[in-house]
Amino acid sequence: MENFTPRVIENREFVGLEEEDIQRLNRDEALKFQRNPNISKTMASLEAELGQNGHWEEHWLTVDASGRRVYAKIYYGDERALAITSDGRIIRELSYPLGNH
């Protein structure tokens, strides 16, 4: 069984990476999303919840005060966004005023 658990990177490790290392990590983590057979259902559920007129982005998001990060897909709706990891967990809700994204 394939492991879809997102890699957690310490802030001190992340800031020391070269651009090509970050791009390699991006590819490795993006593959976890592509290979997870349940991720499309999770993404469709978020789109239904936040509205079909939103869009997806991918970012390294901090998950705690120490700056640890995970690679996440973020669906931006009209006034709120939800971020998921490659294992399908919602890790953060983002709110912003209408028109600011």
Side-chain angles (χ1 to χ4, degrees), residues 21-90:
D21 296 324
I22 293 172
Q23 293 304 318
R24 180 183 44 78
L25 284 171
N26 290 351
R27 285 189 303 273
D28 292 348
E29 292 301 302
L31 270 174
K32 291 178 185 179
F33 281 98
Q34 292 173 8
R35 292 181 175 158
N36 184 337
N38 298 315
I39 211 72
S40 61
K41 291 177 197 163
T42 302
M43 291 172 70
S45 173
L46 296 183
E47 291 171 3
E49 180 179 340
L50 299 179
Q52 298 294 322
N53 60 339
H55 70 280
W56 286 97
E57 293 183 9
E58 297 175 0
H59 297 285
W60 284 94
L61 289 180
T62 57
V63 292
D64 60 24
S66 72
R68 294 183 328 146
R69 304 165 192 238
V70 295
Y71 192 74
K73 285 187 176 272
I74 307 165
Y75 186 73
Y76 291 91
D78 289 334
E79 295 185 39
R80 144 181 185 239
L82 293 171
I84 60 170
T85 53
S86 54
D87 57 3
R89 288 182 303 119
I90 295 173

